[in-house]
Amino acid sequence: QVQLVESGGDSVQDGESLSLSCAASGAPISNYCMGWVRQTSGKPRLEVAVLRTDGTTLYARDLKGRFTISRDNAKNTLNLRMNNLKPEESGLYRCAAGHVNGVGGCTWNFWGQGTQVTVSS
């Protein structure tokens, strides 16, 4: 079992950048499919970025090129760099760990509490 704690959320202006981190304990994150999921009131949950165990990545539409997911195995930490943020990208960003499913994505088994990102225009 793995425990996940996010940090780095903040209030920023439209066009600014932000980096989020997810500190994991209990197991190496390299054993898991890892991801960042955004929750916004009134909207469906969105998988922002996914990092599979083989190192390949997936991004939500329109985010590739501005968002970068990465992991630091030595620190057992998952990171998300977000550039040129937009107001509609505000929300609670949660770190998740799971396993690759049969359709190439990930099924999430463990969740962090989340860190709030607010982008103002």
Side-chain angles (χ1 to χ4, degrees):
Q1 196 165 9
V2 61
Q3 293 78 44
L4 305 169
V5 179
E6 303 92 336
S7 62
D10 204 349
S11 294
V12 297
Q13 295 295 310
D14 188 355
E16 292 186 338
S17 299
L18 201 59
S19 291
L20 305 181
S21 292
C22 172
S25 59
I29 60 171
S30 56
N31 292 349
Y32 293 92
C33 188
M34 300 295 297
W36 289 95
V37 179
R38 184 173 73 217
Q39 293 182 194
T40 307
S41 178
K43 296 182 180 180
R45 190 173 72 187
L46 176 70
E47 289 185 353
V48 172
V50 172
L51 177 59
R52 299 190 190 101
T53 50
D54 64 0
T56 57
T57 56
L58 295 170
Y59 293 93
R61 187 182 299 178
D62 297 332
L63 298 185
K64 189 174 183 179
R66 293 192 296 117
F67 286 27
T68 304
I69 189 171
S70 62
R71 66 180 178 221
D72 185 331
N73 290 338
K75 295 181 179 180
N76 213 29
T77 299
L78 182 73
N79 302 303
L80 183 69
R81 176 65 178 177
M82 305 183 290
N83 293 326
N84 191 19
L85 281 161
K86 303 176 182 180
E88 57 266 33
E89 292 164 352
S90 298
L92 183 69
Y93 282 72
R94 300 181 72 184
C95 178
H99 61 273
V100 177
N101 59 34
V103 293
C106 296
T107 297
W108 306 115
N109 303 115
F110 306 104
W111 293 87
Q113 293 298 308
T115 186
Q116 182 68 36
V117 173
T118 302
V119 186
S120 301
S121 57

